[in-house]
Amino acid sequence: MRGRCRIRRGCGRRQHRAMDRLPGFIVMALFGVILQPPITEVGISGGPYWPEIDDRETFRRMAIGLTAHTAFNEYFGVQFGGGYKQGGVERCVARPKDETYLPALRQTSIGATPPCVLPDMLDTHEAETVHRLYDYIDFSMLGQARIPVVAQLDVRFVFGPTWGIPVKCRRKSVSHGGVQDCSAAFLSSDWRLVIGAGAGLQVSPRLDLSLDYRYGADVRDLIGYGLDPWLGIASSLIAGLHYRIGS
């Protein structure tokens, strides 16, 4: 029985990792298939990134990267990106109280029940807010539409997948302070379906400035394979500087 349990756990881990890597293989395959037209534009982009978690108050992190754009025609193209993104989740966990105060606490009445501490744990535990901070190497392949408004201004829309490979993890206690490294644990990839809108401004014959606001939904939630219910819809404000190649 124990042998079979070990085998099942091993199979579960392999299936978990295979499912976690699947979007990366898909994105890389699409890179190879679609990245055939010439690159018409390269750029650098970055800005604040908000990893929103359900209805809890979110916190701000950052993302920065390089982009390459290939145009199918005057209006439509694909933007490829690679960079560094900081994500994270916020959790409420049950933290043991300081043992030196437990006898006095048992003699006093405790008010409202904290959201993540069960009633029978109130004497010995307290609620603690924790930020689990992740850093990713992030890749994206976004279809882009550009609609001219005036001579130097256009409206832009993007839609497509992103894939974040985790490279760092830290656990930060908001309630009590202190940071712990959690990089040794198995970290899931962050793959999302992104949609956004913004504007581009031509500042010279070669240079454009852009500003986009984007939402990224966790694809595993969309397909009913949510590995972590704390992951939800993330948002970002991306500013970019783009250089046109060729005539």
Side-chain angles (χ1 to χ4, degrees), residues 167-188:
V167 294
K168 189 175 182 180
C169 174
R170 287 165 293 156
R171 182 187 184 278
K172 178 181 178 181
S173 174
V174 179
S175 305
H176 302 278
V179 178
Q180 297 175 333
D181 183 79
C182 49
S183 302
F186 175 74
L187 305 177
S188 297

Side-chain angles (χ1 to χ4, degrees), residues 33-54:
V33 172
I34 295 180
L35 193 55
Q36 295 180 10
I39 297 298
T40 58
E41 183 181 285
V42 294
I44 183 170
S45 62
Y49 179 80
W50 294 274
E52 298 182 8
I53 297 86
D54 297 334

Side-chain angles (χ1 to χ4, degrees), residues 103 152 154 160:
Q152 281 79 34
D154 59 60

Side-chain angles (χ1 to χ4, degrees), residues 139-160:
F139 299 96
S140 64
M141 187 186 68
L142 306 178
Q144 188 178 71
R146 300 181 177 183
I147 303 174
V149 178
V150 294
Q152 281 79 34
L153 181 67
D154 59 60
V155 176
R156 305 183 177 194
F157 301 93
V158 295
F159 179 79

Side-chain angles (χ1 to χ4, degrees), residues 198-214:
L201 177 66
Q202 181 179 340
V203 295
S204 78
R206 293 285 185 182
L207 290 177
D208 285 357
L209 293 175
S210 68
L211 185 65
D212 297 337
Y213 189 77
R214 300 175 183 178

Side-chain angles (χ1 to χ4, degrees), residues 123-145:
D123 286 349
T124 57
H125 290 74
E126 60 184 349
E128 178 187 15
T129 300
V130 172
H131 284 176
R132 197 173 174 91
L133 307 175
Y134 301 98
D135 289 9
Y136 301 96
I137 300 296
D138 201 55
F139 299 96
S140 64
M141 187 186 68
L142 306 178
Q144 188 178 71

Side-chain angles (χ1 to χ4, degrees), residues 13 16-17 20-21 132 182-189 227:
R13 293 192 189 99
H16 179 101
R17 290 172 182 172
D20 189 59
R21 295 169 182 171
R132 197 173 174 91
C182 49
S183 302
F186 175 74
L187 305 177
S188 297
S189 297
L227 298 178

